[in-house]
Amino acid sequence: MRDENEVEVEQGFRVLSLIERYRLRLERKRKQLRFVRKSRELRRVVNRTSDIRAGDVLLFSVLRNERIRLPYFLEYYRNLGINHFLMVDNDSDDDSRKYLGEQPDVSLWHTTHSYKQSRFGVDWLNALQYRYGTGHWNLVVDVDEFLVYPFCDSRPLRALTDWLDASGVRSFGAMLLDMYPKGPIDEKEYKEGQNPFEIAEYFDAGNYMISRNPKYRNLWIQGGVRARVFFPNDPRKAPALNKIPLVKWRRGNVYVSSTHTLLPRGLNLVYDESGGEKTSGCLLHAKFLHTLRAKSEEELKRRQHYGNSREYRAYKQVLEKSPDLWCPESEKYINWRQLEILGLMSKGNWV
Amino acid sequence: MTVGFIMLAHQDLDRAAQVAAYWASHDSPVVIHVDARSDLRDFEGMKAALARHDNVRFAPRRPCGWGEFSIVAATLDAARIMLNDFPEVGHVYLSSGSCLPLRPANELAEYLTEHADTDFIESVTTEEVIWTVGGLDLERFTLHFPFSWKRHRRLFDRFVELQRKIGYSRRIPDGINPHLGSQWWCLTRRTLTAILDDPQRQEYDRYFSKVWIPDESYFQSLVRKHSTNIESRSLTFSRFDFQGKPHVFYDDHMQLLQKSDCFVARKIWPRADRLYQRFLDDNAKILVRVEPNPRKLDKVFAQANQRRIRGRDGLRMQSRFPRGDVWATQKTRGPYSVFEGFSELFSNFETWLERRTGTRVHGHLFDKREVKFSGGAKVYNGCLSNSAKLRDYNPEAFLVSLVWNTHGEHQSFQFGPADQQAIGDFLASDQNATIHVVTGAWSVPLFHSRMDFQRIRRIAARYQAIEARHVERLRSPHTRARVHVWTLAEFVEDPMTILKSVLDGIDPASSRKLTEVPRLADLHGFGQFVQKLKNEGMNPHSVGDFPLADMPGHGKPPIKAFAVR
């Protein structure tokens, strides 16, 4: 049996200069120091982590004012077999905190500090993962991201992580797939507890652009509806869609930026370069619901998002003019098999 | 006669106990070996769970590692207990803790009674096997392997290399004929007794303790010495993936497993509750007297391995990003055509070709202002946008996506020196591209334009230089695309024959008459135009040898349809 990551790391060893390796190591160590510092910004609301058992799959998330999304989010991931949720509330003023605090499988921290200064929540979660996630498979998602993986309708997440373990794979890629409704995004109102993809049921199937980042070796994917509608004249600024949300956590791991990139960088090799397909999934992104308008306005005031919240500026501008993201070529979502056939994700050799 | 089971277990002992209990309660004695490294509490729990079965025994626990002789030793211990304690046992079946019986116990017993003298064991000569991990077959028997293949791969490989280099070879003891095969066998009492009581057994055990992965060769080789009736196949369905690790079965494999008619399957995911429930429940089983038929399962597994190793041609996505040789030889999903100069020469070329071939014909996809999709669409299959900036951000991704998204529907598009040139190298290097070039055809619209002649001259010079570079690239030895180049003069000499060959290239089946041809542009006075360019100091060589006077028949569109044969 072959440990896939190890073989690749070995190949990398030969190609890479020692200096570059050392630099990345320093970067990783700096990030670790940083999250140790940033972890002091977290105040415990309720800590139920003593319930975590060996082999449990854990979910980590940062949120702000997402009360309406929480019930379905928790339900979805409980059904997939997440055993414990570790959440950071970035000072919500709806009752997200109260609601989460009452959930039996949620441990909750609260912070009033800057989302931006914690590198969009990465530092906070790195700290929690270091403390509670080591030795477990950790899933890091936002509350509007829903993981879809091969056989997710018939096998729990644990089946996937067991198989990844047996295959010697330590990280699992799942591209962000932006979902949107037909018609103006605030035409249909999302109701608490509802499956958001009953409303946002369309996606762009084949307009993605991929390049490889030589420094971290991850793929950089852009495209989809956000590039098509919001950044057709400035594609460079279109948001990154590559994500590696599921990782068997070791003590030295750190997320570098969002869940796009990890160190050590062997973890970023979730793709095959010799023609084969590694197993991968998708994160269905339920961003484009009626809630986006209020969110955009708030976030533009707070200016706590990436690139001076330029994304939210673009949303606001475009959505005021033509709020329909749907086009005649939009694909209606059915299930993971459809995404597999379209080539957005792959079963690899998992049967 | 009954069948006795030897079970080798090392984790998920609760599941192993469940299966052992099933066999034991169906009058099949079970001897269990639990890896000494397994958790003691789990082991105690297993013993307690099986305490009420008086036909269950436990072999002394040995620590077992992957590919170590201890697995064989444990099997031999258990076999001895089985043969001594249960004289009614006619066949002994070797299974693992993650095996699951798919057919009722009595069916297996019946099947074995019918084959009372047959040993079911996959036993293949080392010359025949193709599936060995690490590519080692006969060398498993003749080299030393002091380093762990799993933990010290490099040392392992180097030491093998060294032994090969100095020509080292171990002596294979007399009576051993090297064979390999699946670890999971079912042997008759007679054969197993002969192996256990072999006078040379001590020598064999010593020898095999240094063979690599002896659990796949010990019984497989010795059975050749002692058995008279070998059926070289395993009754346990178990398949390995490209990494050499067994495929795992889940609840959603229920139907596939049922249809396989295999007696036992490995390996089952310990949390596959429905599989355990269903297959350990006698009432749910339908009695069938058929031979095992794992063909369908094999197909599924073969496809999976194929997808992991080779993947889907022409797909670039988050977990498949071919580079190097693979990318060089295989870029797009299927054939497509590029036309350079045709839409300049024929006023209705695109609609004509689309109608004539029933395929999709785009305008200039790489036009600098916007992507000219067929029919002027703003978005195309897969939501490809007509934004030139998006396309130019990653032109390769654009074209690869276009071909991928259209699922084998043949795509054609126009290309020329006025377009964004960045894709040129990709086109030349893609073996799925067929490129038809009429050099100098870009001059026809210039000829018709009313622009200032100086400006025309400058544009002509620029286009000619761009086109020359492009054609040079197309003619380089690195080109994989199929390329056809004509000068404008050559083309107008016999346009219909060329159009016919183009059509045949797209759809060879439709080689019928050319009943309808596109309208050729008016070339009256084109010869003088060329001469005028020359007079201005520019040499439009790409146009070819165009006569000064008008050629007969050219210059007016063909009115009558005619056939080309």
Side-chain angles (χ1 to χ4, degrees):
Chain A
M1 210 169 74
R2 208 175 81 185
D3 182 315
E4 288 192 14
N5 290 96
E6 261 170 36
V7 171
E8 276 148 1
V9 170
E10 238 173 79
Q11 285 168 349
F13 183 80
R14 265 172 262 136
V15 183
L16 249 192
S17 77
L18 283 169
I19 300 165
E20 198 191 345
R21 278 164 54 92
Y22 187 65
R23 235 182 242 150
L24 285 168
R25 187 181 160 77
L26 278 185
E27 180 181 347
R28 189 162 61 85
K29 291 290 169 193
R30 267 202 312 277
K31 298 255 146 65
Q32 284 180 317
L33 279 178
R34 193 185 158 91
F35 77 61
V36 171
R37 189 157 50 80
K38 286 285 171 184
S39 67
R40 294 193 204 118
E41 297 175 359
L42 298 177
R43 201 178 49 79
R44 190 184 67 223
V45 177
V46 51
N47 187 338
R48 300 188 176 95
T49 52
S50 56
D51 294 346
I52 297 173
R53 296 279 162 266
D56 278 0
V57 184
L58 313 179
L59 184 148
F60 295 79
S61 187
V62 177
L63 72 144
R64 176 185 167 79
N65 290 347
E66 299 282 13
R67 174 65 183 83
I68 188 171
R69 290 177 179 275
L70 291 175
Y72 184 77
F73 173 79
L74 293 173
E75 180 195 332
Y76 183 86
Y77 282 109
R78 278 174 189 147
N79 282 341
L80 287 190
I82 291 288
N83 303 91
H84 202 85
F85 296 81
L86 297 96
M87 319 271 287
V88 175
D89 173 43
N90 187 9
D91 208 20
S92 298
D93 43 34
D94 61 3
D95 66 345
S96 293
R97 199 154 58 240
K98 178 165 172 291
Y99 178 80
L100 285 173
E102 289 163 358
Q103 304 300 314
D105 49 359
V106 173
S107 292
L108 183 65
W109 287 263
H110 172 230
T111 180
T112 53
H113 286 79
S114 161
Y115 183 62
K116 195 172 176 177
Q117 292 296 311
S118 111
R119 296 185 306 122
F120 316 106
V122 167
D123 292 326
W124 297 330
L125 292 189
N126 272 338
L128 289 180
Q129 287 182 273
Y130 178 84
R131 177 93 189 264
Y132 301 106
T134 302
H136 292 272
W137 280 93
N138 294 353
L139 179 66
V140 179
V141 289
D142 287 339
V143 288
D144 57 2
E145 294 171 351
F146 296 86
L147 179 68
V148 165
Y149 52 87
F151 308 103
C152 61
D153 47 8
S154 53
R155 297 179 200 172
L157 202 47
R158 181 70 188 271
L160 175 66
T161 57
D162 277 359
W163 182 78
L164 293 171
D165 273 331
S167 310
V169 178
R170 293 181 284 135
S171 56
F172 181 78
M175 184 180 103
L176 202 58
L177 188 65
D178 288 314
M179 308 289 291
Y180 49 85
K182 184 174 180 177
I185 62 158
D186 38 15
E187 192 177 74
K188 282 181 214 142
E189 193 179 323
Y190 174 72
K191 299 213 171 51
E192 186 181 319
Q194 187 184 11
N195 175 356
F197 305 115
E198 287 170 8
I199 298 170
E201 49 183 351
Y202 291 90
F203 62 94
D204 283 19
N207 55 1
Y208 297 90
M209 300 164 284
I210 309 182
S211 57
R212 186 172 167 276
N213 176 343
K215 184 179 170 196
Y216 295 111
R217 299 243 178 91
N218 58 311
L219 294 183
W220 184 26
I221 308 178
Q222 293 167 288
V225 66
R226 278 194 276 176
R228 172 168 65 82
V229 176
F230 300 108
F231 298 94
N233 293 315
D234 198 358
R236 210 175 51 80
K237 292 201 171 126
L241 304 175
N242 48 294
K243 291 224 163 189
I244 305 171
L246 184 62
V247 177
K248 177 78 173 257
W249 209 254
R250 289 188 190 172
R251 219 149 256 267
N253 294 0
V254 287
Y255 274 113
V256 177
S257 63
S258 173
T259 46
H260 303 307
T261 330
L262 285 140
L263 280 176
R265 60 181 175 175
L267 294 170
N268 295 330
L269 299 171
V270 292
Y271 55 96
D272 188 298
E273 293 185 297
S274 55
E277 295 175 28
K278 287 193 179 178
T279 310
S280 58
C282 279
L283 284 176
L284 303 188
H285 197 196
K287 192 184 194 84
F288 297 106
L289 295 173
H290 85 273
T291 50
L292 181 67
R293 199 174 287 265
K295 193 100 188 157
S296 301
E297 270 153 29
E298 191 198 339
E299 294 306 336
L300 278 175
K301 265 183 235 139
R302 283 171 21 97
R303 294 201 171 257
Q304 286 285 310
H305 279 269
Y306 183 70
N308 279 328
S309 306
R310 67 174 169 229
E311 242 187 279
Y312 282 101
R313 245 177 301 147
Y315 298 154
K316 195 163 151 28
Q317 276 166 18
V318 174
L319 292 177
E320 268 166 17
K321 271 186 284 168
S322 60
D324 193 355
L325 305 178
W326 184 87
C327 75
E329 298 297 334
S330 295
E331 196 85 26
K332 192 170 177 172
Y333 179 73
I334 305 167
N335 56 20
W336 69 267
R337 283 182 197 274
Q338 167 199 30
L339 302 183
E340 225 264 334
I341 291 164
L342 288 169
L344 290 165
M345 56 185 266
S346 179
K347 289 187 284 192
N349 61 322
W350 199 29
V351 183
Chain B
M1 291 304 242
T2 62
V3 48
F5 288 89
I6 295 173
M7 181 188 271
L8 305 178
H10 66 106
Q11 60 186 16
D12 302 301
L13 299 183
D14 48 337
R15 285 301 189 194
Q18 219 181 329
V19 174
Y22 171 83
W23 280 324
S25 58
H26 288 77
D27 300 328
S28 288
V30 185
V31 180
I32 302 169
H33 176 268
V34 176
D35 188 345
R37 293 172 194 166
S38 305
D39 188 76
L40 186 66
R41 264 176 312 174
D42 290 352
F43 177 60
E44 294 300 335
M46 185 183 197
K47 266 167 82 171
L50 294 169
R52 65 192 176 86
H53 297 282
D54 56 2
N55 54 353
V56 172
R57 300 281 186 280
F58 286 90
R61 296 175 68 186
R62 294 170 182 265
C64 294
W66 183 85
E68 287 173 12
F69 186 75
S70 48
I71 297 177
V72 176
T75 310
L76 290 166
D77 292 347
R80 176 65 75 198
I81 296 172
M82 178 69 77
L83 296 176
N84 285 351
D85 288 13
F86 304 103
E88 74 277 18
V89 164
H91 269 96
V92 178
Y93 198 122
L94 180 61
S95 74
S96 82
S98 50
C99 286
L100 185 65
L102 304 183
R103 288 168 68 175
N106 56 338
E107 258 192 66
L108 176 61
E110 266 173 47
Y111 186 84
L112 291 174
T113 310
E114 279 167 34
H115 302 83
D117 298 322
T118 311
D119 293 300
F120 294 91
I121 178 166
E122 189 185 28
S123 164
V124 187
T125 61
T126 50
E127 291 89 45
E128 307 290 328
V129 290
I130 44 160
W131 37 258
T132 48
V133 175
L136 293 162
D137 31 63
L138 182 63
E139 286 173 327
R140 288 182 180 206
F141 295 87
T142 60
L143 300 182
H144 279 286
F145 303 93
F147 301 106
S148 160
W149 186 72
K150 282 201 164 177
R151 273 163 300 166
H152 308 292
R153 181 77 50 87
R154 243 188 268 193
L155 275 174
F156 180 97
D157 288 343
R158 295 227 172 115
F159 198 66
V160 167
E161 273 314 308
L162 179 73
Q163 293 177 79
R164 281 178 185 159
K165 218 171 259 171
I166 62 172
Y168 177 81
S169 180
R170 287 177 75 195
R171 193 186 69 82
I172 301 174
D174 293 337
I176 289 183
N177 185 0
H179 278 70
L180 298 170
S182 162
Q183 185 185 353
W184 315 111
W185 43 250
C186 178
L187 299 179
T188 58
R189 167 176 285 269
R190 202 191 64 79
T191 303
L192 193 56
T193 311
I195 291 174
L196 286 171
D197 296 340
D198 192 306
Q200 282 173 277
R201 181 164 153 208
Q202 271 200 329
E203 186 195 348
Y204 291 162
D205 286 6
R206 230 180 7 255
Y207 167 76
F208 271 103
S209 68
K210 296 206 171 62
V211 164
W212 192 47
I213 325 183
D215 44 307
E216 288 180 356
S217 58
Y218 183 91
F219 293 96
Q220 290 71 8
S221 299
L222 287 176
V223 80
R224 291 283 163 189
K225 179 175 176 185
H226 297 293
S227 173
T228 48
N229 190 1
I230 295 174
E231 178 109 4
S232 179
R233 65 183 161 100
S234 173
L235 294 179
T236 300
F237 181 82
S238 171
R239 292 290 181 271
F240 294 91
D241 68 5
F242 81 115
Q243 284 180 299
K245 83 179 165 354
H247 282 294
V248 179
F249 293 105
Y250 303 90
D251 282 343
D252 48 14
H253 289 126
M254 177 87 75
Q255 291 232 319
L256 267 177
L257 287 174
Q258 269 170 339
K259 283 184 187 149
S260 76
D261 294 320
C262 292
F263 286 105
V264 176
R266 178 171 196 274
K267 130 184 216 176
I268 311 292
W269 189 47
R271 285 172 188 75
D273 295 342
R274 283 178 51 221
L275 290 187
Y276 278 97
Q277 236 170 51
R278 165 73 182 70
F279 288 112
L280 295 182
D281 174 8
D282 269 345
N283 299 326
K285 288 188 180 176
I286 309 145
L287 292 163
V288 276
R289 290 189 126 184
V290 288
E291 284 287 336
N293 178 19
R295 279 224 314 274
K296 209 168 203 168
L297 274 169
D298 272 329
K299 211 174 120 194
V300 173
F301 288 133
Q303 279 169 348
N305 282 350
Q306 190 67 10
R307 173 147 300 188
R308 178 65 188 83
I309 295 164
R310 216 199 124 134
R312 288 170 274 183
D313 285 358
L315 177 63
R316 258 193 160 179
M317 46 89 80
Q318 56 168 333
S319 55
R320 180 182 201 265
F321 194 70
R323 307 204 303 153
D325 285 351
V326 184
W327 175 240
T329 52
Q330 186 264 101
K331 290 182 158 75
T332 45
R333 186 174 191 167
Y336 59 95
S337 307
V338 184
F339 292 95
E340 305 187 19
F342 286 71
S343 58
E344 285 71 20
L345 266 170
F346 298 103
S347 56
N348 60 343
F349 179 72
E350 290 153 34
T351 46
W352 171 78
L353 188 63
E354 199 152 41
R355 205 165 47 230
R356 191 65 189 69
T357 58
T359 63
R360 192 67 63 184
V361 183
H362 303 282
H364 285 262
L365 282 184
F366 292 89
D367 184 287
K368 281 184 175 156
R369 279 147 307 179
E370 64 162 32
V371 181
K372 299 266 170 63
F373 286 123
S374 163
K378 291 223 177 310
V379 279
Y380 195 62
N381 291 23
C383 297
L384 278 174
S385 160
N386 69 341
S387 151
K389 280 194 174 137
L390 265 179
R391 174 203 64 202
D392 293 342
Y393 184 55
N394 192 336
E396 293 187 2
F398 172 82
L399 190 55
V400 169
S401 300
L402 178 85
V403 179
W404 175 262
N405 293 344
T406 45
H407 303 282
E409 179 197 43
H410 192 98
Q411 307 286 307
S412 304
F413 63 91
Q414 320 302 319
F415 190 66
D419 291 340
Q420 205 52 268
Q421 295 295 305
I423 196 69
D425 192 58
F426 178 92
L427 294 177
S429 63
D430 184 9
Q431 61 182 5
N432 281 322
T434 304
I435 307 175
H436 309 274
V437 189
V438 182
T439 62
W442 42 263
S443 62
V444 175
L446 290 177
F447 162 59
H448 287 131
S449 85
R450 289 162 192 215
M451 269 188 287
D452 165 47
F453 196 77
Q454 283 311 311
R455 205 168 149 216
I456 288 180
R457 195 192 67 87
R458 276 199 307 277
I459 295 174
R462 198 172 75 235
Y463 283 179
Q464 177 158 275
I466 293 172
E467 187 182 71
R469 270 200 303 277
H470 174 61
V471 170
E472 191 186 354
R473 172 66 186 90
L474 293 182
R475 285 180 166 149
S476 100
H478 304 294
T479 294
R480 288 173 185 275
R482 260 162 303 171
V483 177
H484 308 280
V485 183
W486 305 272
T487 64
L488 180 59
E490 283 165 358
F491 188 83
V492 295
E493 198 69 33
D494 189 5
M496 294 313 139
T497 311
I498 292 172
L499 281 183
K500 182 75 171 61
S501 73
V502 164
L503 285 182
D504 288 349
I506 293 177
D507 183 11
S510 78
S511 62
R512 273 168 286 128
K513 293 176 184 174
L514 265 187
T515 47
E516 187 203 355
V517 291
R519 283 191 303 278
L520 192 66
D522 184 358
L523 291 177
H524 266 299
F526 187 75
Q528 283 97 328
F529 174 73
V530 170
Q531 186 56 46
K532 200 170 164 196
L533 281 173
K534 285 181 183 165
N535 297 345
E536 291 289 332
M538 187 231 157
N539 182 12
H541 53 79
S542 58
V543 167
D545 195 9
F546 214 91
L548 194 56
D550 288 335
M551 285 186 275
H554 291 145
K556 55 174 183 285
I559 302 156
K560 224 172 63 180
F562 56 96
V564 179
R565 271 272 164 206

